Amino acid sequence: MCGIVGYIGPREAYPIIIEGLKRLEYRGYDSAGIALFDGKDLKVCKTKGKVVDLEARSDKEITKHGSVGIGHTRWATHGVPNDVNSHPHISNSGDLVIIHNGIIENYESLKKELISRGYTFKSDTDTEVLINLIEDVKKQENVKLGKAVQIALNQVIGAYAIAVFDKNKPEEVVIARLGSPLAVGIGEDEFFIASDASPFLEYTKDAIYLEDEEMAIIRFHKGIKIRKIKDDSLVDPYIQKLKINLEQIEKSGYDHFMLKEIHEQPKAITDTYRGRLLRQEAIIKMAGVEDNMKKFLNADRIIIVACGTSWHAGLVAEYIFEDLARVPVEVEYASEFRYRNPVITEKDVLIAISQSGETADTLAAIKLAKSKGAFVFGVCNVVGSSIARETHAGAYTHAGPEIGVASTKAFTTQITVLTLMALRLARAKGTISSSDFRHHLLELEMIPKKVEEALKSDAHIQKISEIYKDVNNFLYLGRGYNFPVALEGALKLKEISYIHAEGYPAAEMKHGPIALIDENMPIVVIATKKGHYEKVVSNIQEIKSRKGKIIGIVTEGDVQVKELADHVIEVPETLESLSPLLTTIPLQLLSYHIAVMLGKNVDQPRNLAKSVTVE
Ligand code: F6R
């Protein structure tokens, strides 16, 4: 979603903001803009398009000078992506300037009220309403900017992260958050404002993350003051030392972040189980599970909520929790769960899965479950994210920053965490034998090496991609543990290549999708040795007799599918329950290569955002 960058200090703000906006590009956006105070006046430049378009336009339109500034990448919600709707927005007097992430839900009524008082609007955005509301409050109440922001935000319904300044008092920037993340980097007598820490990592590792319903007034030479928006009480700033470094958020020689992240999976999975999977001692150590073991053991059922790829990881977890720990599991789209008056009791455990930890629907589902007394456990990648903070306990995935919009290493590390949890619970419940438990630990420990093996098929997958890159439709089939992988493979292809793709449980094909099959339809079938192999082979035969083109994902050394399929891609053998960690890899590479061959923007596909902070 939208990205915010701001700077106040002794340096030139322009390059810091532009570079910062580029680092936030992964969040997804359709326009960009910047506002600078150049010592005399406010300079604003904004445009539909990318940050490079903004740079080109800035070269022509503004003096890129000034040590106070705010910049924005916009992912359109209210109003189409165009120059006028882009941020920053300026108040009617021309004094105040704002950038905003989120949605002001009651903007229509606020706008009517402001129009009746003589305000005019150039854009269709809720943000322009907000900046004029702030201006109106400032004038009516005769208060300073910080107070005006606070009063205005108390009239607003919705979600926001904002940064505002007044050209008449440019040594002060006011920021606030509710539902959209906002971090402040603390340098030496300088401050960086951003949606996440990536824009300021090279300048400082000291950061404050604003909590929901907090605002901060940042003054050059004077420091930062944080207050609660509702009751004006002062908050002690908590300064965190960031552990991520610049290298982790750069491409390191890969053409795309997505490819880098696909190749990072062996390390990401190892980092995720390190210190948790202790094979020699035959134990799994997970503090969040350990400390709340009673809740897990007494649970009537586990409800998993998530969106998109994280939801697919939840589906894999359903198989493994039920299979090993013998506990009933329901997997829900967070967006449906939160609105359908679900039956939740104090005996439910809810597991929320989210890479970003900021997904609005997942966050709302958590709040709903908490309000009904359920115990809520988070599986997040981004440390300190809203979901990580909102849950009672949790386990991080340790995948490292995931920048490519299409989720790859987040998925496999989520499955790793959930597998560890299921195994730990199974051990505590006695639903797994000691030898089976040890076997699982051994096999899980070997997964990173096997992922490395699976990655070696890259060149072969590239050739297959060349053959099928121009088709309009794809089918993905899998059974059991690999049914969710089929869904995930189809999602990956859709989101980055824009080719229509559907995932199905292989046996469901007969109930409808088989009608689609002809000689033009490529069908990716996950047919690994363990797990309904013979049944999948018969499904492949059904496809073959209808002339569909079969791309089989098979276990090394497979003979049967090889005879039937047009192409096979081998993955190493492992336990059925762990096979999604391997079968996913060729599907990620297939979608990646097809998208590259089609010339698509792999890391920032159209219309998509990395963290979906609006519902
Ligand atoms: C797909 C993808 C999305 C996310 C979904 C949930 O590649 O990235 O489907 O998985 O938006 O996001 P998180 O996991 O951040 O809650």
Side-chain angles (χ1 to χ4, degrees), residues 555-568:
T555 309
E556 257 163 20
D558 178 279
V559 183
Q560 243 179 305
V561 177
K562 239 176 228 167
E563 276 173 12
L564 295 168
D566 296 270
H567 317 270
V568 292

Side-chain angles (χ1 to χ4, degrees), residues 468 471 473-476 518 520-524 548-551:
Y468 295 104
V471 303
N473 297 290
F474 254 88
L475 278 181
Y476 285 72
D518 62 17
N520 299 316
M521 175 69 90
I523 301 134
V524 178
K549 298 281 182 286
I550 299 157
I551 304 167

Side-chain angles (χ1 to χ4, degrees), residues 65-350:
H65 170 62
S67 55
V68 180
I70 52 180
H72 191 262
T73 47
R74 173 176 188 253
W75 188 85
T77 54
H78 292 84
V80 295
N82 62 23
D83 296 355
V84 179
N85 287 335
S86 311
H87 298 209
H89 287 282
I90 303 171
S91 63
N92 273 197
S93 70
D95 290 346
L96 307 186
V97 61
I98 189 171
I99 49 177
H100 165 221
N101 294 355
I103 294 178
I104 305 302
E105 286 169 17
N106 59 336
Y107 85 105
E108 301 253 28
S109 57
L110 293 168
K111 189 170 182 176
K112 265 191 205 137
E113 179 68 33
L114 288 166
I115 289 172
S116 74
R117 290 224 281 280
Y119 284 85
T120 57
F121 294 89
K122 293 190 185 112
S123 77
D124 306 319
T125 65
D126 48 348
T127 307
E128 197 186 5
V129 175
L130 180 58
I131 194 62
N132 282 303
L133 177 66
I134 294 169
E135 174 153 295
D136 192 52
V137 171
K138 192 168 177 289
K139 281 189 188 147
Q140 302 289 329
E141 310 269 334
N142 194 18
V143 287
K144 291 183 179 162
L145 179 63
K147 195 72 198 164
V149 168
Q150 186 181 26
I151 296 170
L153 290 180
N154 276 309
Q155 296 177 29
V156 150
I157 300 168
Y160 50 78
I162 57 166
V164 187
F165 74 89
D166 180 345
K167 72 170 189 190
N168 302 308
K169 219 181 160 202
E171 65 286 355
E172 173 181 292
V173 177
V174 180
I175 62 172
R177 113 160 232 182
L178 175 63
S180 291
L182 206 49
V184 183
I186 317 284
E188 229 168 83
D189 209 14
E190 62 182 346
F191 296 92
F192 306 83
I193 300 153
S195 299
D196 66 39
S198 57
F200 56 75
L201 275 179
E202 73 234 64
Y203 304 105
T204 178
K205 290 278 163 64
D206 292 331
I208 297 173
Y209 287 89
L210 277 201
E211 298 284 342
D212 273 348
E213 302 189 339
E214 282 180 2
M215 60 181 287
I217 299 175
I218 302 169
R219 290 197 185 99
F220 188 39
H221 291 320
K222 291 202 177 134
I224 179 166
K225 267 218 169 90
I226 304 176
R227 289 183 183 277
K228 291 270 180 212
I229 296 168
K230 277 215 175 106
D231 63 13
D232 200 39
S233 56
L234 267 177
V235 175
D236 271 344
Y238 168 58
I239 301 178
Q240 293 188 28
K241 266 267 174 260
L242 299 171
K243 292 204 181 97
I244 41 171
N245 54 46
L246 211 50
E247 212 174 67
Q248 283 175 290
I249 56 162
E250 284 174 342
K251 285 189 205 151
S252 319
Y254 286 94
D255 288 344
H256 299 95
F257 281 110
M258 182 181 178
L259 188 61
K260 175 185 174 229
E261 287 156 9
I262 290 172
H263 281 271
E264 277 174 350
Q265 287 175 110
K267 180 176 182 302
I269 295 170
T270 311
D271 289 347
T272 298
Y273 70 52
R274 182 178 292 119
R276 291 168 168 165
L277 186 169
L278 307 177
R279 191 175 52 80
Q280 303 288 359
E281 293 98 313
I283 51 172
I284 286 171
K285 259 203 199 158
M286 295 181 92
V289 178
E290 234 56 69
D291 296 347
N292 299 287
M293 189 53 93
K294 266 200 186 143
K295 298 267 183 207
F296 281 99
L297 292 177
N298 294 337
D300 280 344
R301 60 177 176 165
I302 290 175
I303 305 167
I304 297 179
V305 292
C307 302
T309 290
S310 298
W311 184 76
H312 296 154
L315 287 180
V316 175
E318 178 179 25
Y319 284 84
I320 194 154
F321 271 93
E322 294 202 336
D323 199 6
L324 301 183
R326 307 303 299 146
V327 54
V329 177
E330 285 167 29
V331 188
E332 304 263 3
Y333 283 118
S335 53
E336 286 299 311
F337 179 80
R338 61 179 291 200
Y339 283 120
R340 68 165 175 70
N341 194 14
V343 179
I344 312 166
T345 75
E346 286 166 12
K347 293 198 76 186
D348 288 325
V349 166
L350 184 125

Side-chain angles (χ1 to χ4, degrees), residues 446-447 449-455 457 528 554-556 569-575 579 582-583:
M446 279 161 32
I447 287 291
K449 275 259 156 294
K450 293 183 180 183
V451 172
E452 270 170 26
E453 278 304 306
L455 287 167
S457 299
T528 45
V554 299
T555 309
E556 257 163 20
I569 304 167
E570 291 189 339
V571 294
E573 187 160 3
T574 187
L575 294 175
S579 62
L582 301 180
T583 51

Side-chain angles (χ1 to χ4, degrees), residues 306-311 353-359 362 387 402 404-408 414 488 491-492 495 609-612:
C307 302
T309 290
S310 298
W311 184 76
I353 310 172
S354 175
Q355 187 287 127
S356 62
E358 301 294 343
T359 302
T362 310
I387 291 177
E402 190 180 68
V405 162
S407 202
T408 51
Q414 285 164 348
E488 175 60 9
L491 177 63
K492 285 290 87 91
E495 61 186 341
K610 185 66 185 162
S611 59
V612 183

